Structures are given as structure tokens and as C-alpha cells.
Amino acid sequence: KETFTRSDIEKSLRRQFPNLTKSQISDSIDVIITSIIEAVALDDKVEIRGFGTFFVKKIKEDNENKSSS
């Protein structure tokens, strides 16, 4: 599988929205990513239908792997 990068997203958006500048597209991506990060940091779940869901997955601590002080 190939990796779909930020650059790929920017190119796709430039094709779909030729009236926007490269800077506007980059700024828009930054706002979206920052919004997702901030929401997840507050324990909110972010769902973008057709794309994915972002959330913090709680993992039980394994007592066997704890280092003793």
C-alpha cells in the first residue's frame, strides 16, 4: 500500500479548488489537523464520515511490565 501524504492532500485540493492559493490550502489543512488534535486531547471523539475516527484509546497498565523503584 502506498502512503497518502499531506502533500497528496494539498495536490488533490489544488485540483478541486483552483481558486485557492497554495498557502490557503496549507493553512486550511493546518486548522483541520489542529482541531482534531485539540479535540482528541480533550478526550473528545472526532468522526469524519467516509474518512475515519480519531480518539484516545485507553490501555490497561500491565503490572508485570511496571519497573519497581
Side-chain angles (χ1 to χ4, degrees):
K1 290 183 178 181
E2 289 188 40
T3 303
F4 193 67
T5 65
R6 179 189 175 106
S7 178
D8 295 326
I9 295 169
E10 289 175 351
K11 288 175 191 172
S12 178
L13 289 172
R14 275 198 302 262
R15 282 192 301 271
Q16 292 181 28
F17 303 99
N19 57 322
L20 295 178
T21 66
K22 187 175 182 178
S23 178
Q24 289 172 316
I25 289 172
S26 182
D27 290 347
S28 298
I29 294 170
D30 287 341
V31 168
I32 293 166
I33 292 172
T34 299
S35 297
I36 293 169
I37 291 169
E38 289 173 352
V40 171
L42 294 172
D43 268 346
D44 291 338
K45 181 170 108 174
V46 178
E47 181 180 345
I48 303 173
R49 295 188 194 258
F51 181 75
T53 303
F54 303 86
F55 60 94
V56 174
K57 182 175 181 179
K58 307 287 184 193
I59 300 174
K60 275 187 166 182
E61 187 173 331
D62 184 0
N63 288 330
E64 289 182 26
N65 291 332
K66 269 183 146 177
S67 60
S68 55
S69 303

